[in-house]
Amino acid sequence: MRKWHNRSLLLLWRVLLLLAAADMLFWGAVRFMAGYYEHAAYREFAAAAASWQPVATVPYADLINTYGQRFHVSPRLTAAVIMAESSFVPQAVSSGGAYGLMQVIPATWQHVNRYTRLCSGRHKGECSTVCYFEPELNIGIGSAYLKEMVDRFGGNVALAVAAYNAGPAAVEHFGGIPPYRETRDYVGRVMDNWYGQQGGPRPVYDASVGRWEKCARWAVILLVILLGSLILVALLLRRRCRSWRWR
């Protein structure tokens, strides 16, 4: 009877091992599908958001349109970025030291101001929070920098938005949107804001991404259960056989 129980446990261990292997393969497959549809959604967004589209119903619409025309960046895209960055609060400050509507850091401000000359002649010395919090200046500097990112990444708006958040070096290093949760969430928020301005739904690809990511989460939960069961059965077999020779 004892020997029969050992064989049953050994069979159970092997079945659990096969199930765990199959679950890992399934997880890899669904992660691939989620990534495929996610990139499809990025491509659709990049193609749609590349055209110049004015805004009318958002705060500071006139300034956004003016600087969008000046720097050849879509006002609708700029408005989507502002919503993601500051929710249109002109005196917003991030924990990372970014300021104003478009959450521009001082180093980026100085870099962009060198070639736009937006703040030149308005004051003596270096720019300060007085400049950063001025809606017109912040939108102007932010729009110019956003356009710089669009040009740097060959007109790919999705990559430009990712670079606006994580920096262009990170996008270039990974050859695409960096695998940072913060950056991916940020790009998703900008896309939500951009699609929301037209009152339409997000692309159909997004629903597919959500479904595949949900499958991936369930696959991870199942894998944890299977691995826990494998360990439990292995310990029972070791106790019964008084060694690891059962393997």
Side-chain angles (χ1 to χ4, degrees):
M1 180 65 71
R2 182 184 184 88
K3 189 174 182 179
W4 182 85
H5 280 302
N6 290 350
R7 288 179 178 175
S8 298
L9 283 173
L10 183 58
L11 177 61
L12 177 60
W13 187 84
R14 289 172 176 168
V15 170
L16 289 171
L17 188 62
L18 287 173
L19 288 174
D23 186 60
M24 285 189 284
L25 290 174
F26 175 73
W27 177 84
V30 297
R31 286 303 306 158
F32 172 82
M33 293 303 297
Y36 172 82
Y37 281 107
E38 184 177 51
H39 283 88
Y42 291 151
R43 288 194 299 270
E44 183 175 344
F45 166 67
S51 60
W52 198 91
Q53 298 163 307
V55 292
T57 60
V58 298
Y60 310 107
D62 290 343
L63 292 174
I64 294 171
N65 287 328
T66 297
Y67 284 107
Q69 189 169 26
R70 176 171 176 177
F71 295 116
H72 307 289
V73 62
S74 175
R76 184 169 159 188
L77 177 63
T78 302
V81 169
I82 293 174
M83 185 63 190
E85 290 285 356
S86 67
S87 298
F88 288 95
V89 177
Q91 293 192 335
V93 181
S94 75
S95 58
Y99 296 89
L101 289 166
M102 297 193 72
Q103 291 291 277
V104 184
I105 62 173
T108 298
W109 186 283
Q110 293 169 12
H111 161 71
V112 175
N113 193 43
R114 288 191 191 100
Y115 66 83
T116 61
R117 312 291 292 175
L118 284 173
C119 211
S120 298
R122 299 194 180 208
H123 58 79
K124 295 181 179 180
E126 296 292 333
C127 293
S128 65
T129 53
V130 175
C131 308
Y132 306 152
F133 292 146
E134 172 60 42
E136 180 183 357
L137 290 174
N138 198 284
I139 290 172
I141 293 289
S143 297
Y145 183 64
L146 183 59
K147 174 58 175 175
E148 181 181 330
M149 294 300 99
V150 172
D151 290 343
R152 183 163 178 168
F153 293 100
N156 189 315
V157 174
L159 295 183
V161 170
Y164 196 94
N165 174 261
V171 176
E172 290 168 345
H173 174 74
F174 288 102
I177 295 176
Y180 310 145
R181 175 48 57 187
E182 177 188 347
T183 301
R184 291 186 175 275
D185 289 346
Y186 175 81
V187 175
R189 289 199 305 275
V190 171
M191 291 172 64
D192 278 336
N193 298 336
W194 189 88
Y195 284 106
Q197 289 180 61
Q198 69 176 3
R202 291 277 295 269
V204 67
Y205 296 115
D206 276 359
S208 298
V209 172
R211 286 194 293 267
W212 286 113
E213 287 185 341
K214 184 177 181 180
C215 289
R217 287 193 293 270
W218 279 109
V220 170
I221 293 172
L222 178 59
L223 182 60
V224 170
I225 294 172
L226 289 170
L227 291 177
S229 300
L230 275 168
I231 294 171
L232 179 61
V233 173
L235 291 174
L236 287 173
L237 281 166
R238 183 182 184 279
R239 179 179 296 178
R240 286 177 174 274
C241 300
R242 298 181 181 179
S243 74
W244 295 105
R245 293 185 62 185
W246 53 269
R247 294 177 299 174

